[in-house]
Amino acid sequence: MTKRDDSSSLSSSCKLRRQFNLNGMHKVGDVILGGLFEVHYSSVFPELTFTSKPHQPSCQGFDPPGFRHAMTMAFAIDEINRNSNLLTNVTLGYSLYDNCATLGIGFSAALSLASGREEGFPLQETCLGTPPVLGIVGDPFSTFSIATSNVLGLFRLPIVSYFATCSCLNDRQRFPSFFRTIPSDAFQVHAMIQILKWFGWTWAGLLVSDDDYGLHAARSFQSDLAQSSGGCLAYLEVLPWGNDSKEYKRIVDMMKKSTARVVIVFAHQMHMIQLMQEVVKQNVTGLQWVASEAWTLIDGLQTPAFMPYLGGTLGIAIRHGQITGLRDFLLRIHPDQNHSGYENSMVKQFWEHTFQCRFAPPPAGWKEARGMLCTGDEDLEDVETEFLDVSNLRPEYNIYKAVYALAYALDDMMQCVPGRGPFRGRSCATLQRLEPWQLMYYLEKVNFTTPFGDQVSFDENGDALPIYDIMNWKWLPDGQTQVQSVGVVKKSAFKGEELTLDESKIYWNFNFKKPPRSVCSESCPPGTRMARKKGQPVCCFDCIPCSEGMFSNQTEDFWSSPQRDRCVPKKTEFLSYHEPLGICLTTASLLGTFICAFILGIFTYHRSTPMVRANNSELSFLLLVSLKLCFLCSLLFIGRPRLWTCQLRHAAFGISFVLCVSCILVKTMVVLAVFKASKLGGGTNLKWFGAMQQRGTVLALTCIQAAICTAWIVTASPVPHKNTQYHNDKIVYECVVGSTVGFAVLLGYIGLLAILSFLLAFLARNLPDNFNEAKLITFSMLIFCAVWVAFVPAYVNSPGKYADAVEVFAILASSFGLLVALFGPKCYIILLRPERNTKKAIMGRGTTKG
C-alpha cells in the first residue's frame, strides 16, 4: 500500500482519543437531550508522576438536591413522551452527567455529550442521522457554562442553563447558542439596588466570590449603583477559594470597623460557611445581610451557630413552581430499573448514600460507600431524605422549563411544511439531516406557558422573562428557621422593573425590630449644606453653614430667608405684559397691526385707482398682510416663555419677515423689468414677470425659510429655561435657541434677501417715473438693514428679558420702517392729493402742481 493509500485509509474513520470515565445515566430515544448536574460537590485528583497514566478524579460528597435536579430532567422527558400532543411519533432520550463541581469533569462531560460515546464511527460524504445530542440542559455553574459555551457555541449546539446567572453570558458574539431559564446577574443586581432604595440604605458593603459569578456581579453592582444614585459601597472584598483563614480574618476585621450596617454577598455556600465561622469567632453582630440567589436557600447556613448573626437576612431566590407528579416519579427510582453498571451509576450512588449501604463491587473510580450490602429491596418511603422534598421547587422548576423549551422547539421544527420552511430554498429541517443550529433557530422563537401559569420565551440575549422571589430568614423562638417569601421583583415588557414587599412580614434581627439605618453621613440640618469629604464616596460628607442665599436640600426655585433657616420662593423675571416695558411694546405692536389693517382698508376701497394698481396691487396687499404678521409675531416674545411659544416665536418671526422681504424683492424686480420693457425690443422681459411668476417666486422664497425653521425645530428645538446665573436670588425665564446655527441661518437668509432687494432698488432709483417706487424701496431697505445690523450686538449683550425686548424692538422698528417708507407716500397721495392719483401723473405726464 502506498503512503497516499495508507493516509486515505486512516482518514476514512474517526476514533475518540480518550474515553472519559464519567458518572452518568442514560435513556435511549429517537432524539437525545444532554444534561449536566452537580450530583457530587467535590472531587479528588490523583497524584500524577511522569511515569503514571492519567486517571479520572474521583467525586466525593453526594448531593441529594443535585441528584433531584437530574431526576427532574428525567421526569420532564418521561412526561413529554407520554404527552400525545407534543412530539408525536418521536421519543426523547437523555444522557445525564455529573460535573462533580469540577470544571475539568464538567467540560469533559460536555464534550462527551457533543461527540457521543461511541469509540469510533466511519466518515461519510453525506452525513445522515441525528447528532449525539440536540441540546444540553446545564451547566449550573457560570464558569463551567462559559467554558462549555465557548467551545460548543462554535457548532451552534443549544445550551439551556437553569442556574448560570453571570451577565457575561449575554454576549451573543461569544455565546451564540447559550440560553437560560434563570435571570442573569444583571437583573439580580438591579433587584438588590431596588431593595437598598426601598429601605433607604445608601451605605453598604459588598462581598463577592473569586470567580466569574462574583467578579462580574461586582462590576455590574458598582456601575449600576452609580448610575441609579442609589448609594455608595463602603467596601468591596473578594472571598477566596480554599481555607484561607488569614484572608477571611482580614475581611471580617474590616467589616467590624466599617460603619456600614448592610452587607451584600454574591458567593457560594463554601465561601459563606468560612466567612460565618470567622464572623462567629469575632462576634460581629448588628449587620443586615442581603443574600444572592446562590446561598439564599442553603440549609447548611441556617444552623443554631449562625442564625444569631444571619437571622433577618433578605435574599433573592429563584422563582418557585409546582411540578405535578414529580414526587411519585422520584419514589419509583430504583437501581435496577435500567441496565446495570455504568448506565445508572448515579442511581446506585444515590441508593448507597440514602440507605448507607454499598453495592458489590462498587463502580470503578468512585469512593466505596461504607456499611452493609445494598439489596435493592430498600424502600425510599421508609427514610427521611431531602431528595423527596418537593415543597419548594426552584432550580427544579427552571430545569423543567428548560427541557420543555427544547421539546417545544423540536416540536415546532417537526411542524414545518416543506416548501414553507425558514431555511435556504424554503426548506425544513428533518431528523435524518438535523443540524443543532436548526433547532437553535426554533428555540429563539419558542413561546409557551407552563402548567404553573408562567410564560416562557427568550429575548435577543437568550434570557427568559426575569422574576425573583424576595426571601426573609425568620428565626423562631424555638430555635427553628423559617425562610419565608416577603415579596417579588420582576420585569415586564410594559411596566419595567417592579418590586413588591410586604414589610409587615419581614423579621428584623435587631432589638428595635425595625430596618436598620445604614448611611455614611446623616442628612444635614437646616442652615447647613453638604461638603464632600476628600477621598471618600459621595455619600460621606460634612455639614457646614450655608453660604448667603443658600438653603440645604431644596430645589433651585427657592432662596433662603435672611436668617437662612427656611426657604422663600425666588423672584421671577421675564418680559411681562404687566410691566411698563411690556405694555409699551405690546401697545406698539397692536398699533402697527391696526395701521396695517387701516391701510389695507384704504387700498381695498381705492383698489381701482392707478396708485393702487401700479406695480402689481396683489403684491401690495400681500406685503400689508405680511407686515401685519410681523407686528403680531412680536407678541410671542412677551409673557412667560413656554415650550410652544419658544418654538413658534422665531418660526413666526422668520417666515413673516421672509414673506415681507420677498414681496419687496419681487416688486423691485418688476420695476426693473417694466423699465427695460419700455425700451425698444425689451418686451420679452415682461413674460418672465407675469402675475403667476411673481406669486411663485414669493412662495418659493418663503418655503425655503419654512424648511429652515422646520429643520431647526426638529433637530434642536428652542426650549424654555430657568436661568439663575444672572442673579442668585432671581430666576430669569428665557428661551434657549437650541441651535445657534439654526438661528444664524434664519437671520442670514432674511439678511440675504434684504441686501439683494436693497441692491436692486438702488440700481433702479433713478428711473424716469414720476412716482418711482424703487426710491421708496431703497430707503425702506436701508432702514431695515440698519435696524438689524444694530440688533445683533445689542441682542448679544442684553441679559434676560432685555434680550427679548431688544428683539421685539428690532421687529417693531423694522416693520414700522417698511410700513412708513413704502406706504406713507402712497397714502398721502390717495387721501390728501387725489389729483396726483392718475395714470398721467404717475407716469410723469401732465403733472398737476398743488
Side-chain angles (χ1 to χ4, degrees):
M1 181 181 290
T2 64
K3 185 175 181 180
R4 181 174 179 179
D5 292 337
D6 183 59
S7 174
S8 177
S9 175
L10 288 174
S11 64
S12 63
S13 65
C14 186
K15 291 185 178 181
L16 291 175
R17 296 289 300 273
R18 177 184 171 191
Q19 278 279 6
F20 298 111
N21 184 21
L22 298 169
N23 186 28
M25 58 185 298
H26 308 270
K27 179 180 180 179
V28 296
D30 301 326
V31 175
I32 305 298
L33 300 182
L36 298 172
F37 302 93
E38 181 198 359
V39 181
H40 290 80
Y41 52 78
S42 66
S43 62
V44 177
F45 285 80
E47 295 184 6
L48 298 178
T49 65
F50 287 105
T51 58
S52 65
K53 294 182 179 181
H55 292 284
Q56 187 77 11
S58 61
C59 297
Q60 296 182 348
F62 190 85
D63 185 26
F67 182 60
R68 185 175 65 226
H69 297 165
M71 297 315 300
T72 300
M73 179 172 177
F75 165 78
I77 289 177
D78 181 70
E79 187 178 69
I80 292 169
N81 287 335
R82 290 184 283 107
N83 189 342
S84 59
N85 297 320
L86 186 62
L87 288 177
T88 54
N89 302 321
V90 176
T91 301
L92 292 181
Y94 55 74
S95 287
L96 312 181
Y97 284 122
D98 178 10
N99 64 23
C100 301
T102 305
L103 177 58
I105 297 176
F107 191 70
S108 300
L111 292 180
S112 294
L113 289 171
S115 60
R117 293 183 294 143
E118 293 80 3
E119 292 189 9
F121 54 90
L123 294 179
Q124 302 174 3
E125 291 185 5
T126 57
C127 295
L128 296 176
T130 59
V133 295
L134 275 183
I136 297 175
V137 176
D139 193 292
F141 293 103
S142 293
T143 300
F144 296 12
S145 292
I146 291 170
T148 302
S149 299
N150 262 326
V151 176
L152 301 188
L154 299 174
F155 307 99
R156 300 300 191 268
L157 179 64
I159 300 173
V160 187
S161 179
Y162 59 92
F163 214 69
T165 59
C166 181
S167 56
C168 58
L169 287 163
N170 283 344
D171 187 350
R172 300 309 274 179
Q173 296 295 323
R174 287 184 61 192
F175 314 109
S177 63
F178 180 82
F179 299 82
R180 55 183 155 199
T181 52
I182 186 173
S184 72
D185 285 337
F187 181 71
Q188 186 175 186
V189 166
H190 292 167
M192 288 193 172
I193 293 175
Q194 295 251 36
I195 294 174
L196 295 182
K197 285 185 173 181
W198 183 285
F199 293 108
W201 296 331
T202 59
W203 189 235
L206 178 62
L207 306 177
V208 299
S209 56
D210 190 12
D211 57 9
D212 292 300
Y213 171 72
L215 298 178
H216 277 90
R219 282 194 286 269
S220 297
F221 203 98
Q222 286 178 299
S223 61
D224 292 353
L225 190 65
Q227 292 176 7
S228 66
S229 302
C232 308
L233 289 180
Y235 52 84
L236 169 58
E237 294 292 338
V238 179
L239 302 176
W241 290 90
N243 189 19
D244 191 346
S245 57
K246 290 184 179 179
E247 181 64 9
Y248 277 99
K249 182 178 184 302
R250 184 195 66 80
I251 292 173
V252 175
D253 282 340
M254 185 268 306
M255 293 169 57
K256 193 174 183 178
K257 295 175 183 177
S258 174
T259 57
R261 297 293 87 198
V262 175
V263 182
I264 304 162
V265 186
F266 279 85
H268 307 286
Q269 178 180 0
M270 57 192 76
H271 298 100
M272 283 303 301
I273 290 176
Q274 295 185 68
L275 176 67
M276 292 311 301
Q277 287 173 347
E278 187 62 34
V279 168
V280 172
K281 185 177 179 180
Q282 296 195 30
N283 192 29
V284 182
T285 58
L287 296 179
Q288 174 63 48
W289 297 83
V290 181
S292 69
E293 45 76 29
W295 64 278
T296 294
L297 301 174
I298 297 298
D299 295 336
L301 294 171
Q302 299 161 14
T303 64
F306 293 162
M307 281 307 294
Y309 305 89
L310 290 177
T313 294
L314 289 173
I316 305 291
I318 302 169
R319 173 71 166 169
H320 77 286
Q322 295 178 358
I323 304 178
T324 306
L326 177 60
R327 191 174 190 279
D328 294 335
F329 179 83
L330 299 179
L331 285 170
R332 293 197 299 270
I333 291 175
H334 194 274
D336 294 330
Q337 72 182 64
N338 294 314
H339 303 289
S340 60
Y342 177 78
E343 294 296 326
N344 62 355
S345 57
M346 283 198 293
V347 178
K348 288 180 178 290
Q349 291 152 25
F350 161 70
W351 208 263
E352 290 177 339
H353 172 82
T354 302
F355 296 104
Q356 292 298 297
C357 61
R358 62 183 176 85
F359 288 97
W366 302 97
K367 187 174 180 180
E368 183 178 347
R370 296 181 178 180
M372 59 183 180
L373 291 176
C374 300
T375 64
D377 296 330
E378 295 85 0
D379 191 348
L380 283 174
E381 294 201 73
D382 293 339
V383 294
E384 288 189 9
T385 171
E386 57 182 324
F387 172 73
L388 296 175
D389 183 8
V390 295
S391 61
N392 195 22
L393 300 176
R394 295 180 186 275
E396 293 85 353
Y397 188 47
N398 283 343
I399 294 167
Y400 185 80
K401 291 189 289 187
V403 175
Y404 265 88
L406 288 168
Y408 272 104
L410 185 59
D411 186 66
D412 291 342
M413 187 190 75
M414 300 297 293
Q415 304 299 325
C416 179
V417 177
R420 299 182 182 178
F423 306 120
R424 182 179 297 176
R426 294 188 174 273
S427 62
C428 295
T430 62
L431 288 180
Q432 291 72 29
R433 292 180 178 272
L434 183 59
E435 296 286 344
W437 62 266
Q438 293 174 317
L439 181 63
M440 195 184 85
Y441 171 85
Y442 288 97
L443 188 60
E444 290 173 340
K445 302 180 182 303
V446 78
N447 193 330
F448 65 95
T449 303
T450 67
F452 191 56
D454 289 332
Q455 186 177 4
V456 179
S457 61
F458 299 105
D459 63 14
E460 65 276 4
N461 295 322
D463 288 334
L465 198 64
I467 181 170
Y468 276 118
D469 290 335
I470 309 297
M471 311 302 292
N472 177 234
W473 290 16
K474 186 176 183 179
W475 195 20
L476 301 176
D478 60 359
Q480 298 294 317
T481 301
Q482 177 187 351
V483 180
Q484 58 179 355
S485 176
V486 294
V488 172
V489 59
K490 62 182 178 180
K491 184 177 182 180
S492 63
F494 303 103
K495 297 183 179 180
E497 295 178 10
E498 293 181 275
L499 172 63
T500 305
L501 276 177
D502 186 356
E503 289 194 52
S504 62
K505 293 174 62 177
I506 298 178
Y507 169 79
W508 301 106
N509 194 27
F510 304 98
N511 293 332
F512 42 83
K513 302 301 178 184
K514 291 182 179 180
R517 281 192 61 76
S518 187
V519 296
C520 183
S521 301
E522 294 291 345
S523 300
C524 291
T528 62
R529 66 174 179 88
M530 296 185 298
R532 285 275 304 276
K533 291 183 178 180
K534 188 175 181 180
Q536 295 195 27
V538 295
C539 300
C540 302
F541 49 84
D542 292 320
C543 295
I544 62 176
C546 291
S547 303
E548 181 183 357
M550 295 187 65
F551 182 78
S552 62
N553 198 29
Q554 294 292 333
T555 66
E556 62 177 14
D557 292 351
F558 293 87
W559 188 248
S560 66
S561 64
Q563 296 77 23
R564 303 181 197 172
D565 59 351
R566 62 188 177 88
C567 281
V568 294
K570 285 184 178 182
K571 297 178 182 178
T572 58
E573 180 182 277
F574 55 88
L575 187 57
S576 171
Y577 288 106
H578 304 292
E579 61 179 303
L581 180 59
I583 294 173
C584 291
L585 294 175
T586 302
T587 303
S589 173
L590 295 177
L591 178 62
T593 305
F594 173 76
I595 294 174
C596 286
F598 179 72
I599 295 175
L600 189 62
I602 293 174
F603 270 51
T604 302
Y605 184 77
H606 296 278
R607 62 185 178 276
S608 59
T609 63
M611 181 61 66
V612 175
R613 296 177 61 187
N615 199 4
N616 196 337
S617 61
E618 185 178 339
L619 284 180
S620 297
F621 285 107
L622 188 58
L623 181 57
L624 282 170
V625 172
S626 64
L627 283 172
K628 191 174 181 180
L629 293 176
C630 291
F631 282 114
L632 289 176
C633 78
S634 64
L635 297 177
L636 293 172
F637 293 82
I638 306 173
R640 181 169 176 169
R642 304 188 185 278
L643 179 60
W644 70 272
T645 57
C646 288
Q647 292 177 333
L648 190 59
R649 59 167 59 172
H650 289 107
F653 152 70
I655 294 173
S656 299
F657 267 90
V658 164
L659 178 61
C660 176
V661 177
S662 297
C663 292
I664 296 173
L665 177 61
V666 172
K667 285 173 74 69
T668 309
M669 295 169 66
V670 170
V671 170
L672 286 172
V674 170
F675 175 72
K676 289 185 178 182
S678 64
K679 296 181 178 180
L680 185 63
T684 56
N685 293 324
L686 280 177
K687 70 178 181 179
W688 299 105
F689 291 95
M692 289 296 295
Q693 286 80 4
Q694 294 175 36
R695 296 190 204 108
T697 303
V698 172
L699 178 63
L701 294 174
T702 307
C703 286
I704 294 174
Q705 183 74 309
I708 293 173
C709 294
T710 302
W712 178 17
I713 293 174
V714 170
T715 56
S717 172
V719 291
H721 173 64
K722 297 179 181 179
N723 195 327
T724 57
Q725 297 178 354
Y726 299 136
H727 308 282
N728 289 331
D729 59 344
K730 188 183 296 183
I731 299 174
V732 177
Y733 288 94
E734 59 186 11
C735 283
V736 179
V737 294
S739 172
T740 306
V741 174
F743 189 40
V745 172
L746 181 143
L747 290 178
Y749 183 63
I750 297 174
L752 176 65
L753 296 181
I755 292 172
L756 189 59
S757 299
F758 173 75
L759 292 176
L760 292 177
F762 184 78
L763 293 175
R765 71 190 186 283
N766 292 323
L767 295 181
D769 286 3
N770 191 34
F771 187 83
N772 187 359
E773 197 172 14
K775 294 179 181 178
L776 303 180
I777 294 174
T778 303
F779 183 63
S780 65
M781 294 292 30
L782 191 63
I783 296 173
F784 184 88
C785 293
V787 169
W788 286 104
V789 168
F791 158 77
V792 175
Y795 180 81
V796 171
N797 293 291
S798 299
K801 67 177 182 180
Y802 297 105
D804 290 337
V806 167
E807 190 164 359
V808 172
F809 179 80
I811 292 172
L812 295 177
S814 57
S815 298
F816 274 115
L818 294 175
L819 183 64
V820 172
L822 293 175
F823 293 97
K826 295 181 180 181
C827 290
Y828 170 75
I829 291 175
I830 292 172
L831 297 177
L832 301 179
R833 303 295 298 273
E835 69 278 6
R836 296 176 59 183
N837 190 4
T838 63
K839 185 175 181 180
K840 290 182 179 181
I842 292 175
M843 298 300 293
R845 296 185 295 273
T847 304
T848 304
K849 293 181 181 181

